[in-house]
Amino acid sequence: MGRVGARGTVMLLLAFGAGLGSLAYAQRGGGEFMNIPPRFAPDPMPDRNFAVCRIMYDSVRREPAGGGWRTDYPYGEINLSTRVSELTRTRISRRNGEPSHYVVRLTDDALFGCPFTLASDVGTIGLSDDEAARLRTYLLKGGFLWVDDFWGSAAWEQWALEIGKVLDPVTYPIEDVPLSDPIFRAQFLVTHVPQITNIGFWRRSGGLETRERDDDSPYASFRAIRDQKGRIMVVMTYNTDVADSWEREGEDPEFFEQFSPAGYALGINVLLHAMTH
């Protein structure tokens, strides 16, 4: 399990204990890949407050228990935005009282109004030439992408192939981010990249196993691509499902205790770093 600094752990647990009202959002996230219609990002955005945009993409292969672009949608981003509003001073965009959350195609003009994009199960992603070009332009213009929840060597190879169409790997190499990087202490002191499994796998293992691909996923990695000035453009949380610690936080107290504080600490750090760099 991931660890956060003592002060961060206390802050998170106190906030979660006092803020049970926000679990109303989490408790609606119980189904695997619920068929909720996508709420497409408007152009322009309705306000300048923070909102997550999830990337819609075509899957060209399948992964066990994967849901393609819908994985962890929409309660991963709803719950993350809720906790960000509770634990930071970030202004969150809202619609009818609920944190705004959007889906965006890479060919949509609305992409360039998204401050923060997220994609899950990217070991199945396939990008057209037009999509790759648009994502390249978005990232080099200051955009930010976090990809999460892809496991094992086959998924990594697929993702590396597709992101290589977007950003030339010679000019923009993928790197393992050291724990000394400022992203790990943007608000909470994160001292270990947590390996978080989806709640179904966790239950089937009796709460004892986190390696969804056994020896092909021995530990979680935090990788990134930077622009030529050193700004992180793409974050990759590989061999871990950080968003499940947000999406499923209200379903099982033991799952919450084991994974959610570390998952939120990392999530809030990444979000704050993206907004300030």
Side-chain angles (χ1 to χ4, degrees), residues 165-263:
K165 297 177 183 177
V166 177
L167 297 166
D168 173 46
V170 175
T171 306
Y172 302 104
I174 295 172
E175 64 177 53
D176 285 294
V177 180
L179 291 170
S180 58
D181 194 273
I183 200 168
F184 291 113
R185 54 181 187 274
Q187 176 154 319
F188 302 104
L189 178 59
V190 174
T191 60
H192 185 75
V193 180
Q195 187 170 65
I196 299 169
T197 178
N198 77 70
I199 196 169
F201 182 91
W202 176 79
R203 286 169 171 159
R204 290 191 296 274
S205 76
L208 301 176
E209 180 61 79
T210 60
R211 300 172 305 154
E212 290 194 15
R213 300 295 182 271
D214 298 318
D215 291 341
D216 199 25
S217 56
Y219 55 85
S221 295
F222 189 100
R223 296 170 178 170
I225 301 175
R226 300 178 189 266
D227 69 14
Q228 294 184 312
K229 294 183 178 180
R231 177 185 66 89
I232 293 178
M233 299 183 287
V234 184
V235 157
M236 294 156 269
T237 41
Y238 168 58
N239 286 335
T240 186
D241 185 359
V242 178
D244 222 50
S245 73
W246 315 330
E247 181 194 15
R248 315 302 283 271
E249 66 158 63
E251 293 183 41
D252 188 307
E254 293 183 9
F255 183 84
F256 167 85
E257 183 176 352
Q258 185 172 347
F259 297 117
S260 292

Side-chain angles (χ1 to χ4, degrees), residues 70-205:
R70 289 184 177 275
T71 303
D72 300 318
Y73 172 80
Y75 296 105
E77 45 262 58
I78 290 174
N79 291 346
L80 175 62
S81 296
T82 297
R83 296 311 189 185
V84 167
S85 73
E86 294 170 345
L87 295 169
T88 78
R89 296 182 179 181
T90 305
R91 293 183 178 179
I92 301 298
S93 181
R94 294 184 181 274
R95 176 178 173 179
N96 299 324
E98 179 181 82
S100 297
H101 54 90
Y102 300 114
V103 172
V104 64
R105 303 180 187 92
L106 292 173
T107 52
D108 293 343
D109 288 342
L111 173 66
F112 295 92
C114 293
F116 186 96
T117 59
L118 178 69
S120 295
D121 194 26
V122 294
T124 73
I125 195 172
L127 297 176
S128 69
D129 290 344
D130 285 347
E131 289 172 326
R134 294 276 286 187
L135 181 54
R136 181 185 314 117
T137 300
Y138 168 76
L139 294 171
L140 294 177
K141 281 182 173 289
F144 189 93
L145 171 64
W146 183 354
V147 298
D148 179 52
D149 192 13
F150 59 122
W151 300 73
S153 54
W156 177 262
E157 289 167 7
Q158 179 64 28
W159 163 250
L161 176 68
E162 296 304 299
I163 195 63
K165 297 177 183 177
V166 177
L167 297 166
D168 173 46
V170 175
T171 306
Y172 302 104
I174 295 172
E175 64 177 53
D176 285 294
V177 180
L179 291 170
S180 58
D181 194 273
I183 200 168
F184 291 113
R185 54 181 187 274
Q187 176 154 319
F188 302 104
L189 178 59
V190 174
T191 60
H192 185 75
V193 180
Q195 187 170 65
I196 299 169
T197 178
N198 77 70
I199 196 169
F201 182 91
W202 176 79
R203 286 169 171 159
R204 290 191 296 274
S205 76

